[in-house]
Amino acid sequence: MRSEEVTGLGTITCNGHEIPYTVIYSDRRKSWAVEVKTDASVIVRMPQNIPPEKVRTLVETKSEWIAYQVQKYSSRPQIIRRYTDGETLPFLGREYPVIRRTGSPAKAEFTDGRFLITIPDGFTETDQTAIARDLIIMLYRRIGTAPLEEIILQYAPLAEVVPPRLRIRLQERKWGCCTPKNGIIINARILLAPKIVAEYIVVHELAHLRFRHHQKTFWNEVERLMPGYRNAEAILKTDGWQFVF
C-alpha cells in the first residue's frame, strides 16, 4: 500500500495574490505533480525527501496556471441550501422536494418522494438551517446504503473480491477510500450525484481492493468492470463542486 505524508501548507504569490497549497509526499512517487481541486484548493504531490525550498521552486514554475485554475473554480456560484419549502434536493440523479415543518422530535424522513424535515420550535433561522443540514446528512447516509450495496453486490463478483463492508461518511476531499480490513468508505456527497457517478466511485474502490495503487493495471481493471467509467469521471471533475450539502 502506498505510504503518504501530508506535510502542511506552503504559499506562492501570483499577481499579488497569495495562494496556499498542501504538500503530500509519497514514497512511491518518482515525479511531482500539482492539482487544483474543484473547491480551488491546491495539492502538490512530491516524491519523498524533496526539501520545502525545492518544492516551492517547482510550484512557482506553475504559478500562472495555478492562479488561473484557482480563479476559475473560485468564481463559481456558491451552492447555498437552506432546506426550506420550495427547495429540492438531488438523490442519485433525481430531484425531490423539501418540506420543513415545526414539531418534535427533530428528524428527517424520505417518504412519498419528498424530504420531510421536522425541527422543534425556538431556534433561530441560522440554527434551523444547521440542524436541517445535519438531519439530511444522517438521512442520506441511511437511505444511501441500500442502493450502494446493490452496486457492490453487482460488481464484487466481477471484480473477484468479497463484498466489502460499506460505510458512508461525509468527507471533504476523498470521494471514496478502502479500509485495511476489506471495507470501503463512500463520501455521502456522492449520493447527490447522478447514479452513474456513484456506480463509478464504488467500482473504483472495489478495484482498489485488489490493486492498491493508480497504475495501469488498476485502470485496466476499472475499465474492465465499467467500460464507460470515463463518462462518470468527467461528470465528477466538471460538476463535483456542486455535490454539497
Side-chain angles (χ1 to χ4, degrees), residues 100-121:
R100 194 169 89 186
R101 58 195 178 190
T102 301
S104 186
K107 62 181 179 179
E109 306 168 278
F110 182 72
T111 180
D112 297 327
R114 300 176 300 173
F115 288 103
L116 304 179
I117 306 172
T118 304
I119 299 178
D121 199 6

Side-chain angles (χ1 to χ4, degrees), residues 65-81:
W65 178 84
I66 291 171
Y68 171 78
Q69 296 296 322
V70 168
Q71 172 61 30
K72 180 177 71 173
Y73 292 133
S74 298
S75 62
R76 287 173 168 172
Q78 186 177 2
I79 304 297
I80 299 176
R81 303 193 191 279

Side-chain angles (χ1 to χ4, degrees), residues 19-52:
I19 301 173
Y21 58 84
T22 299
V23 184
I24 300 177
Y25 285 106
S26 171
D27 58 12
R28 298 290 297 275
R29 270 199 167 272
K30 296 182 179 179
S31 61
W32 73 286
V34 59
E35 177 184 9
V36 181
K37 298 282 192 178
T38 55
D39 63 359
S41 61
V42 181
I43 307 297
V44 179
R45 304 186 187 277
M46 284 282 171
Q48 292 283 14
N49 303 319
I50 305 297

Side-chain angles (χ1 to χ4, degrees), residues 225-239:
L225 296 171
M226 188 178 180
Y229 83 89
R230 288 182 179 85
N231 295 329
E233 194 174 47
I235 294 171
L236 198 57
K237 288 181 178 179
T238 302
D239 299 333

Side-chain angles (χ1 to χ4, degrees), residues 2 5 33 59 73 80 88-89 100 104 116 120 148 167 170 189 191 204 209 229-231 243:
R2 175 163 27 189
E5 177 188 357
V59 173
Y73 292 133
I80 299 176
T88 62
L89 284 173
R100 194 169 89 186
S104 186
L116 304 179
L148 293 187
R167 282 183 284 174
L170 183 64
R189 290 173 52 206
L191 297 166
H204 188 110
L209 294 178
Y229 83 89
R230 288 182 179 85
N231 295 329
F243 307 145

Side-chain angles (χ1 to χ4, degrees), residues 49-98:
N49 303 319
I50 305 297
E53 300 79 15
K54 178 66 173 178
V55 172
R56 181 183 176 85
T57 299
L58 290 170
V59 173
E60 285 178 342
T61 66
K62 295 275 191 177
S63 61
E64 290 190 5
W65 178 84
I66 291 171
Y68 171 78
Q69 296 296 322
V70 168
Q71 172 61 30
K72 180 177 71 173
Y73 292 133
S74 298
S75 62
R76 287 173 168 172
Q78 186 177 2
I79 304 297
I80 299 176
R81 303 193 191 279
R82 294 187 172 86
Y83 307 98
T84 56
D85 291 4
E87 289 185 40
T88 62
L89 284 173
F91 182 77
L92 294 178
R94 292 186 59 184
E95 295 281 338
Y96 297 95
V98 172

